[in-house]
Structures are given as structure tokens and as C-alpha cells.
Amino acid sequence: MTRRRTSGKALDAGLLTLRVAVGATLFAHGAQKLTGWFGGPGLEQTAAGMQQMGFTPAKLSAVTAGVSEAAGGLIAVGAGTRVASAAGAAAMLAASDVHRPNGFFAQNGGLELPAVLGVASAALTLTGPGRYSIDEAIGHRYDHERYGVAALAAALVTAAVVLRRRRPATQAAGDTAQA
């Protein structure tokens, strides 16, 4: 049996489909955090939640998470795809860590959704946007594999540093109660 490779057009259509699904989902979550759109909490409540989860400074953490996720709009249209996807991967690494104590499945508050979004974002960082994208229309000036690898490495190291500094939620809650 001869194995066929995916054609360029089919591969590009697959990347477009993945970009739109991941990008739109990330954008919606970021907009919930930043603006309260789509039934979200908005910036002040997101900052309060970040405080409870042990992220400090809480408001900066809320803005960073919201912007990193809202950059999904860029992923969806294929503009700055590698950098925007790296930001999404980093945000989802942090979100996965928050949800990790609840196990894997989303129905139990687990890390299922952020993990899948994070891995998909990392894959888009490495593959790039494909032919059906703004990056392609402007000539892929900054869309090179080396930028994707560098952006992903920087984003993941930054996320790891943020998570290392994060206080466990139980400790953060105790600090708030003592204040």
C-alpha cells in the first residue's frame, strides 16, 4: 500500500480550521477576562480570582492572561501567528497548572480544555499559519521556524517562572484572610 502525503491545499485548509477553532476560543476567553464579554467576569473580578489563585500582582496577572488569550484573534486570522500562538500556549500552561489539582476531565474542573488549547497553540507556533492567512498575504516576513521556536521557548520559560512564583491557592487564601 502506498502512503499519500497530505497535499499543500489540504494541509493549509487544516491549519486554517485549527487556527480558527483555537484562536476564536482563546479570544473569547481573553475577552471574558478583560471586558466581561461573553458572560465573563471582567478585569476586576478576574484580578480578584488571580489573587485567590496565588498570582501576584493580581491585576497585572489578569491583564497578562487576558491579553495572551485575546491574542487568539490574531491566531484565527493568521496574523503574527507564531508569536500569538506562543502567548496562547504560555497562558494555557498556567491555566493547566491551576486546574491540575482537579484531574484531567473538564467536567470535574480539570485541565482538559487548557491542556488541549495549549498543545494546539504550541503546534501552531511550530507549524506556522499556512497559506490561508494574513501572514502569507504579507509575505511571511516574520513567519520563520526559528521565530516560532524562539517565541515558544521564551513563552514557556516565562510561564514556568510565573508558575514558580505562584503561591498555592490555600496559602494565598490564608494571606488574604489575615490581611
Side-chain angles (χ1 to χ4, degrees):
M1 177 162 57
T2 304
R3 185 173 166 188
R4 296 184 75 196
R5 293 189 53 176
T6 303
S7 72
K9 288 181 181 180
L11 179 61
D12 291 323
L15 287 171
L16 171 64
T17 304
L18 181 62
R19 277 196 351 259
V20 170
V22 170
T25 302
L26 286 173
F27 173 78
H29 282 277
Q32 286 182 312
K33 286 175 178 64
L34 295 172
T35 66
W37 291 358
F38 310 114
L43 188 55
E44 294 306 319
Q45 287 182 343
T46 298
M50 291 291 200
Q51 180 77 34
Q52 288 180 323
M53 290 182 271
F55 289 98
T56 57
K59 190 157 191 175
L60 177 61
S61 297
V63 169
T64 302
V67 168
S68 295
E69 292 175 10
L74 295 172
I75 298 168
V77 298
T81 305
R82 291 184 192 263
V83 173
S85 295
M92 292 300 101
L93 174 61
S96 293
D97 189 64
V98 168
H99 290 275
R100 183 175 41 86
N102 300 322
F104 180 74
F105 292 104
Q107 69 193 29
N108 300 321
L111 60 86
E112 180 179 14
L113 178 62
V116 170
L117 288 171
V119 170
S121 294
L124 286 166
T125 303
L126 298 173
T127 63
R131 183 179 323 178
Y132 309 124
S133 64
I134 290 175
D135 287 337
E136 170 72 19
I138 63 172
H140 287 280
R141 185 171 182 176
Y142 298 106
D143 181 37
H144 298 286
E145 287 179 20
R146 66 179 173 264
Y147 294 136
V149 170
L152 186 58
L156 295 179
V157 166
T158 301
V161 168
V162 167
L163 288 172
R164 182 113 169 115
R165 291 184 52 213
R166 177 179 170 240
R167 293 175 292 153
T170 53
Q171 179 185 349
D175 292 348
T176 304
Q178 293 174 6

